[in-house]
Amino acid sequence: MPPGHGPGRAAGSWPGLRRWAERSGIDRFELLTHCSFYVTGLGFSGGAVPTVTGGIAAPAAVAAVVLLLVAHGVLGGLSASRALHWAMGRRARPTAVMTATVVTAAAVLVLVLHGESGVPVESRAAGFVVAVGSVVIPVAALTVRALSPLRIAGLVAVATLVVAAASLAAGLPAVVVIVNAVSAWWIASAMVLFGRISGWMTGIMWELLDARDTRARLAVAEERLRFARDLHDVMGRNLSVLALQSELAARLTRRGATDAAADQMEAVQRIARDAQSEIRAVVRGYREADLAAELSGARSMLESAGIDCAIDTAGADGDGAAASLAPSVQTALGWVVREATTNVLRHADAAGCEIRLRVASEEAVLTVANNGVRAPGDGTGPASGAGAEAGAGAGGSGLAGLRERLTALGGTLTTRAQDATFVLTASVPRQEER
């Protein structure tokens, strides 16, 4: 989906939905996982309300029991949520919250079994399931973090034994005790599986995000290494020759062979001029680029980093709009594409990027829009996402360098950030080479 046309724009008047739209995919997944923990905990606790309060007449006692059930549900969700943070290495094991969850689970189990003791056997299933779920919640929370299979099996066995022992203590028939034990084992296994999958999936997704960022940084580093390698080859070879020629000229001068020394110095001058030309060629190859090639390269680099890239040009074959521009305009816009692509990779958590080129009779307009703008002060990069002004010093790097290039051609460069979308627009008069 092109940037600026997603849910965030449609829900611009709803702050909650706008914040949801600004989240990355992994943030949404983890938030839903945390919410599912709370829904599960409150669901089990809420299901126990009719069973526990059925034989209580005093309103104050009913309110106290309901508050206990709600507290247990919230604690169950909180313990699982914090256990997920523990599994991600963000915080220490939530021992205090888990202990409180176990205590409230025991209280809820006693209340449920006591309330069911006066109900016919055939009507007890719902209450027993709630009781089992209440005890299993802390077990599931503990297994969010990767434990050994033996320890997980031990936790499931403990939950099963607790439910069976409580059923026996409540004086329930043998068949009901067996049903409770089997239900405890089944529900405990299912919730343990849910907890482990949640922790495993969240960890895998964060690892994939780190891998994507690493690949983007490697792509930028590879381009820098290519330029450094070319410059080293040119400078290393020419400087070696210059050193030898000048040394020879110095020896000839000491021997009084001034004419031969003068010839060697002329050779030094010629090599120095050739070296300057070769350095200019290297820099030109780095700073100048064909616009169509840059558009294709931007798509390849962004998609390799896991960012959807949509390119929209006016040409029927995708290259016609770029080919119709003067070489100087193509060079300037090609550099805009290159710099904007680098900024998307380095300064944004983008999921999508749209590059649009429009060529009119008098000017060419290039627009690069990406989502994933980082919030100010989050410590991950500039607040303007892909529009980082960092590094925009002399020498033509960053947005300041782009503005200098475009201004020399009579063009302009503007940026804006809106609804977690950063938009860079470059406008250059359409002109012929002079």
Side-chain angles (χ1 to χ4, degrees):
M1 180 178 295
H5 298 279
R9 183 173 294 277
S13 59
W14 296 84
L17 292 180
R18 187 186 303 115
R19 286 193 295 270
W20 169 262
E22 292 172 356
R23 289 179 176 268
S24 64
I26 177 60
D27 286 332
R28 296 181 186 182
F29 175 82
E30 186 169 345
L31 179 60
L32 290 175
T33 301
H34 286 284
C35 291
S36 67
F37 290 146
Y38 285 97
V39 170
T40 302
L42 290 172
F44 276 114
S45 298
V49 172
T51 301
V52 175
T53 60
I56 302 178
V62 172
V65 170
V66 171
L67 287 176
L68 173 63
L69 293 173
V70 172
H72 174 59
V74 172
L75 283 173
L78 182 61
S79 62
S81 179
R82 291 192 175 181
L84 183 57
H85 288 297
W86 172 43
M88 296 296 102
R90 301 168 185 163
R91 62 186 310 157
R93 183 174 61 183
T95 304
V97 176
M98 287 185 178
T99 301
T101 306
V102 171
V103 172
T104 55
V108 170
L109 179 60
V110 171
L111 288 173
V112 171
L113 293 177
H114 180 269
E116 287 288 325
S117 60
V119 179
V121 174
E122 60 273 12
S123 303
R124 294 174 180 173
F128 294 150
V129 170
V130 170
V132 170
S134 298
V135 174
V136 168
I137 283 176
V139 175
L142 285 169
T143 56
V144 167
R145 187 178 176 94
L147 301 177
S148 65
L150 185 61
R151 294 185 65 181
I152 293 177
L155 289 172
V156 173
V158 168
T160 303
L161 290 175
V162 167
V163 173
S167 300
L168 283 173
L172 301 179
V175 63
V176 176
V177 173
I178 295 175
V179 169
N180 280 0
V182 173
S183 299
W185 176 84
W186 180 260
I187 297 177
S189 299
M191 293 189 68
V192 163
L193 182 63
F194 169 70
R196 280 297 304 120
I197 289 177
S198 298
W200 176 71
M201 285 292 295
T202 304
I204 288 294
M205 292 187 71
W206 278 114
E207 288 179 5
L208 289 175
L209 183 63
D210 291 340
R212 190 194 76 172
D213 292 341
T214 301
R215 184 164 54 180
R217 289 193 296 269
L218 288 176
V220 175
E222 183 179 358
E223 175 62 15
R224 290 177 175 175
L225 288 174
R226 183 200 65 80
F227 176 71
R229 183 176 60 252
D230 292 346
L231 189 60
H232 174 270
D233 292 342
V234 172
M235 292 296 295
R237 181 182 66 252
N238 290 322
L239 287 177
S240 298
V241 175
L242 288 173
L244 292 174
Q245 293 290 101
S246 59
E247 183 180 358
L248 179 57
R251 290 179 180 178
L252 291 173
T253 301
R254 292 190 189 99
R255 295 175 183 176
T258 55
D259 292 339
D263 292 339
Q264 293 300 322
M265 291 308 299
E266 289 177 358
V268 168
Q269 292 177 355
R270 184 173 61 255
I271 294 171
R273 285 193 294 268
D274 293 342
Q276 288 179 335
S277 299
E278 291 182 2
I279 292 174
R280 292 193 190 99
V282 171
V283 174
R284 188 182 306 113
Y286 179 71
R287 292 184 175 271
E288 295 183 4
D290 177 74
L291 179 55
E294 285 300 318
L295 291 173
S296 177
R299 184 201 300 274
S300 176
M301 182 174 292
L302 291 173
E303 289 181 350
S304 69
I307 302 174
D308 293 331
C309 180
I311 296 180
D312 181 13
T313 64
D317 59 355
D319 293 335
S324 66
L325 298 174
S328 59
V329 176
Q330 287 198 49
T331 298
L333 293 182
W335 178 248
V336 171
V337 172
R338 179 179 292 184
E339 181 69 17
T341 302
T342 302
N343 284 340
V344 171
L345 294 172
R346 296 183 60 190
H347 302 301
D349 296 322
C353 180
E354 180 184 23
I355 303 175
R356 177 180 299 177
L357 175 64
R358 289 292 181 264
V359 179
S361 59
E362 296 182 354
E363 67 176 3
V365 179
L366 178 71
T367 303
V368 181
N370 67 276
N371 56 13
V373 174
R374 292 171 179 166
D378 64 358
T380 60
S384 57
E389 295 278 357
S397 51
L399 297 186
L402 294 181
R403 288 193 176 95
E404 292 175 1
R405 287 176 173 272
L406 298 179
T407 300
L409 299 176
T412 59
L413 180 73
T414 60
T415 60
R416 62 182 176 86
Q418 181 179 1
D419 294 337
T421 299
F422 185 84
V423 181
L424 181 149
T425 303
S427 177
V428 185
R430 185 176 181 179
Q431 58 189 5
E432 299 295 334
E433 282 291 287
R434 297 176 181 176

